[in-house]
Amino acid sequence: MKFVVLVKQVPDTNEVEVDEETGTIIREGVPSVLNAFDEFALNVAVDLKEKIDKEVEIIALSMGPPQAEEALNKCLAIGADRAILLTDKIFAGADTWATAVTLGRALKKIGEVDLIFAGQEASDGNTAQVGPEVAAHQGISQLTYVTEIEDFDPEVGEIICRKEIDEGHLMVKGDMPLLLACMPRPDFEPKIPNIREIMKAKKKRKETWSYEDLGGDEEDYGLEGSESVVIKTYSPPPKGEGIKIDEEPERAVEKLLRFLDEEGIL
Amino acid sequence: MAETDLSDERGLTEEQKLFRESISDWGERNLPLERVIEMNREGHPFPEDIIQGLADLGVIMGPVPEEHGGMGLSWKDQSIIEEQIGYIDPSIATAAGFMAVETGWGFTINRYCNEEIREKYIKPAIRGEKFVGIATTEPKGGSDVAGFESTAEKDGDEWVLNGEKTFISGVEECQKIGGGYWVNVRTGPKIDEAPHKNMTAFFVPIDTDGLEPQEPYDDAGRGSLSTSGFVMNDVRVPEKYMLGEQGKGFYYTMEGFDNARIMIGASAVGVTRRILEEAADYIKERETFGRPLAKYEAIQFPFVERYTEMEASKLMVRKTAEMQDVRYDETGWGEKTGDPKTYKPTEIAKWISMIKYKVPHLAKDTADDAMHWLGAAGYSSEYVFETAWRGVMSYCVGAEGGANIQKIVIGRETLGKDYVPYK
Ligand SMILES: Cc1cc2nc3c(=O)[nH]c(=O)nc-3n(C[C@H](O)[C@H](O)[C@H](O)COP(=O)(O)OP(=O)(O)OC[C@H]3O[C@@H](n4cnc5c(N)ncnc54)[C@H](O)[C@@H]3O)c2cc1C
């Protein structure tokens, strides 16, 4: 079986700078990490592989600048078997649409895939669009906000997932091939790769694919292939300081009620 | 983790960066500073969950070849691991006890032991199930490594050991989880002109009849790891538990010291960095007379001086670890104490002594400075500085060889043998 995990390297800071001309994030010089949502998705894939009694190849797939290789190295240490980096100047500046097109072409080149795991969103753009768009491009079903895999039957090709919704959660059954957009559970602790796994990762298969490898029209990719244009980026004004009532419960309730009353909220 | 980040990953390989990341993540989850301080207060034996955690993380005895249960890491790799362990545990108990001792000495035991010892002790120690250590120091022989008195006499295919070993790391832990020690004894008469001759190394399991562990010392620091000793009354070990060849113990011991001392130097770099980062957070925040402490030259200048020395020490440690890699690469696995073409072993030993002398002192002095920078807060065990200060002092006064002994080696290699002080 083949699992593909879509991963992205993101800046490890909230103080991201934005290129005023293109409206995209400047990544140079900012320390980068594996997107936490994707790390969770990979952990889900690795756990699933460990649980089932079948040969599974996990491929970590990323589009990004050459330095995104670092995030893929981490994926290999965590448990991916193979890593593919899609990197080319032509891919640069892609919005979610062009990203999904690029990833989709790579998925086609990879061949038959049983499950695609994606993070629900990336902590830099927070659009939550790429996973679902990839599924749409591939013409396969998708499950979003997946926090856990409850049951998996590789023979039948069925998977039951726990999906978070505002009111609680749902148990949803899906047929493979399927894309799962994964959302870390609050108690999730990512697997820490040990030294042995890190050294083993060094020997795993790593590839870099460029535009030449994916083919198609140049205009489908990157900034040119993007359907959306960022008109303006700005930091929202900082929230004012809240009010903290630090009292015994009874006094606190009293104070709170008085405050709500005075503000005309009650 | 401190807000201030003084790490610099440039020059590291991708794998080395990941080692550091994993160790930091593990440390944050399992060994935050509060736990380090608490562990030291609670005292020994060293907590088993931490031993197991370190083993699972794969940081013990990395340079042992893969076919012997290790990972065949370079000493450079292992020194980067050790540095990060020192960073997460500035009390140095982890770095000292379970990393340096087991890695430096365990690796060297593995070079000279038989398959049985490897299977029964080395491999389990790498898995965190046993402890292996070194017992060379005696009441009458510390710095003077060859000045000891323990003996071994042959009886059939066994050797009978008698004597006393003192100030030995990890005896209590070894009793608790099992394991054994590299024990130096004399297998022939003491030759006054050449006391290192007739020195032979054995591996002695901790539970051997006649081996009587002593009460642990109440040490100034490294509270979570025991230091004690044992008396040997007719301790019998089979001939096959001799490490290497009879009469070569002194040379193997020097090799073990070399390996362990690289680990000490590396961990002291990490300790220094952690102290500087924690201190930086505080002095940037704390205001006196309307300004942050960090603005006063009396605080900022010693801070940057220590930082500069830390970076210099880091480069020295890495160069030294690379030299040790050349030594093992060129002489090859299984060779006796190496004689590489590129560096003389004594030249490598000089570099090793330079880091063993310099870096623990730097860490100790930085902790001392930090306590001054923070005032009363720095003196309290709310902060890690006093714990670090007490811990790293062990490496200044004696553990793995006192500072003066390192200086004698450096002096011998720079001024020449004619100037060795005690000859
Ligand atoms: C915490 C801790 C853990 C230890 N763990 C172990 C262990 O696991 N196994 C083990 O075998 N040993 C261990 N030791 C012992 C250590 O190896 C000795 O402390 C060290 O060799 C120094 O010996 P000593 O303490 O007997 O001091 P001494 O040899 O008595 O020396 C006292 C002082 O004099 C200096 N000195 C000695 N000779 C000279 C000279 N010729 N010129 C100038 N100065 C000199 C020394 O540097 C030292 O400062 C440990 C020690 C400590 C503190």
Side-chain angles (χ1 to χ4, degrees), chain B residues 231-356:
Chain B
V231 174
M232 296 180 290
N233 285 320
D234 291 336
V235 169
R236 287 178 171 270
V237 287
E239 167 90 26
K240 61 185 178 187
Y241 274 39
M242 184 186 283
L243 297 173
E245 291 171 39
Q246 188 175 338
K248 296 265 174 79
F250 183 80
Y251 302 103
Y252 306 151
T253 305
M254 292 302 127
E255 185 182 348
F257 270 129
D258 280 352
N259 291 329
R261 286 172 184 168
I262 295 173
M263 298 294 89
I264 305 305
S267 55
V269 170
V271 172
T272 309
R273 179 157 59 86
R274 186 60 176 271
I275 293 169
L276 288 172
E277 288 184 3
E278 297 293 331
D281 279 1
Y282 189 93
I283 60 175
K284 285 196 279 193
E285 197 65 30
R286 168 80 173 174
E287 291 194 358
T288 62
F289 305 99
R291 286 169 191 210
L293 286 172
K295 260 185 163 302
Y296 299 113
E297 290 98 323
I299 287 173
Q300 184 182 120
F301 286 6
F303 175 88
V304 297
E305 283 160 14
R306 294 299 179 210
Y307 170 70
T308 308
E309 287 178 83
M310 187 270 289
E311 286 294 356
S313 299
K314 191 168 84 183
L315 295 175
M316 279 181 81
V317 168
R318 295 200 180 154
K319 176 186 164 99
T320 307
E322 279 171 10
M323 288 170 99
Q324 191 71 338
D325 281 326
V326 170
R327 173 189 192 162
Y328 282 119
D329 281 351
E330 285 193 7
T331 55
W333 167 253
E335 284 291 313
K336 298 293 171 268
T337 306
D339 193 8
K341 295 177 212 77
T342 326
Y343 308 111
K344 285 199 235 96
T346 47
E347 205 177 348
I348 303 173
K350 176 188 75 181
W351 276 88
I352 291 173
S353 282
M354 289 198 290
I355 58 170
K356 171 63 176 70

Side-chain angles (χ1 to χ4, degrees), chain A residues 70 73-74 190 193-196, chain B residues 14 21-22 29 56-57 69:
Chain A
E70 283 172 22
N73 287 334
K74 178 147 191 199
N194 64 32
I195 309 292
R196 211 172 279 277
Chain B
E14 282 305 305
E21 195 178 324
S22 281
R29 208 178 280 175
D56 293 345
L57 197 54

Side-chain angles (χ1 to χ4, degrees), chain B residues 41-301:
Chain B
R41 208 178 282 141
E42 282 175 355
H44 38 81
F46 199 75
E48 278 180 56
D49 65 311
I50 300 293
I51 302 177
Q52 196 53 60
L54 291 167
D56 293 345
L57 197 54
V59 294
I60 299 170
M61 277 190 252
V64 166
E66 279 181 80
E67 61 271 28
H68 294 165
M71 276 167 280
L73 295 186
S74 65
W75 285 96
K76 174 100 178 272
D77 282 343
Q78 187 70 30
S79 72
I80 283 154
I81 291 172
E82 191 74 29
E83 182 190 314
Q84 199 63 10
I85 295 283
Y87 177 85
I88 61 169
D89 177 9
S91 80
I92 213 150
T94 303
F98 281 90
M99 300 290 303
V101 174
E102 287 213 291
T103 301
W105 293 98
F107 169 87
T108 320
I109 294 172
N110 186 58
R111 266 170 68 74
Y112 298 106
C113 73
N114 66 14
E115 202 49 43
E116 183 179 317
I117 296 171
R118 188 167 290 138
E119 285 301 321
K120 277 175 127 167
Y121 298 96
I122 299 294
K123 288 183 179 176
I126 294 172
R127 295 195 299 265
E129 294 155 10
K130 290 219 166 112
F131 176 80
V132 293
I134 171 70
T136 178
T137 307
E138 296 196 358
K140 287 205 177 159
S143 303
D144 184 4
V145 174
F148 67 93
E149 297 192 322
S150 290
T151 57
E153 275 180 34
K154 196 158 183 191
D155 182 18
D157 58 0
E158 286 184 331
W159 286 86
V160 185
L161 279 59
N162 278 289
E164 183 180 352
K165 296 290 173 185
T166 184
F167 295 112
I168 306 304
S169 300
V171 174
E172 200 181 53
E173 290 75 7
C174 193
Q175 277 180 277
K176 192 157 175 233
I177 67 170
Y181 280 89
W182 162 331
V183 176
N184 284 324
V185 288
R186 212 171 278 292
T187 46
K190 186 168 179 180
I191 304 163
D192 283 339
E193 318 80 78
H196 62 284
K197 290 206 169 138
N198 286 332
M199 181 168 161
T200 301
F202 284 92
F203 184 81
V204 183
I206 192 76
D207 55 359
T208 312
D209 283 345
L211 190 152
E212 290 166 19
Q214 306 292 295
E215 276 296 302
Y217 294 96
D218 191 5
D219 284 335
R222 277 174 47 168
S224 52
L225 177 71
S226 71
T227 314
S228 61
F230 49 80
V231 174
M232 296 180 290
N233 285 320
D234 291 336
V235 169
R236 287 178 171 270
V237 287
E239 167 90 26
K240 61 185 178 187
Y241 274 39
M242 184 186 283
L243 297 173
E245 291 171 39
Q246 188 175 338
K248 296 265 174 79
F250 183 80
Y251 302 103
Y252 306 151
T253 305
M254 292 302 127
E255 185 182 348
F257 270 129
D258 280 352
N259 291 329
R261 286 172 184 168
I262 295 173
M263 298 294 89
I264 305 305
S267 55
V269 170
V271 172
T272 309
R273 179 157 59 86
R274 186 60 176 271
I275 293 169
L276 288 172
E277 288 184 3
E278 297 293 331
D281 279 1
Y282 189 93
I283 60 175
K284 285 196 279 193
E285 197 65 30
R286 168 80 173 174
E287 291 194 358
T288 62
F289 305 99
R291 286 169 191 210
L293 286 172
K295 260 185 163 302
Y296 299 113
E297 290 98 323
I299 287 173
Q300 184 182 120
F301 286 6

Side-chain angles (χ1 to χ4, degrees), chain A residues 176-250:
Chain A
M176 297 195 303
L178 183 70
L179 181 137
L180 307 176
C182 304
M183 181 78 194
R185 296 183 296 274
D187 63 344
F188 166 66
E189 281 198 335
K191 184 170 143 53
I192 299 172
N194 64 32
I195 309 292
R196 211 172 279 277
E197 288 162 333
I198 294 169
M199 292 307 284
K200 237 170 84 186
K202 200 176 158 184
K203 298 187 189 126
K204 291 181 179 173
R205 190 168 155 199
K206 251 176 20 180
E207 290 150 87
T208 305
W209 291 355
S210 63
Y211 164 67
E212 307 261 291
D213 296 290
L214 299 190
D217 287 340
E218 255 186 54
E219 300 87 70
D220 295 346
Y221 296 104
L223 203 54
E224 266 199 82
S226 297
E227 299 289 326
S228 58
V229 179
V230 178
I231 298 168
K232 188 179 168 200
T233 25
Y234 64 96
S235 301
K239 271 193 200 162
E241 260 188 45
I243 299 167
K244 197 170 164 200
I245 306 175
D246 209 356
E247 302 271 1
E248 288 297 305
E250 261 175 50

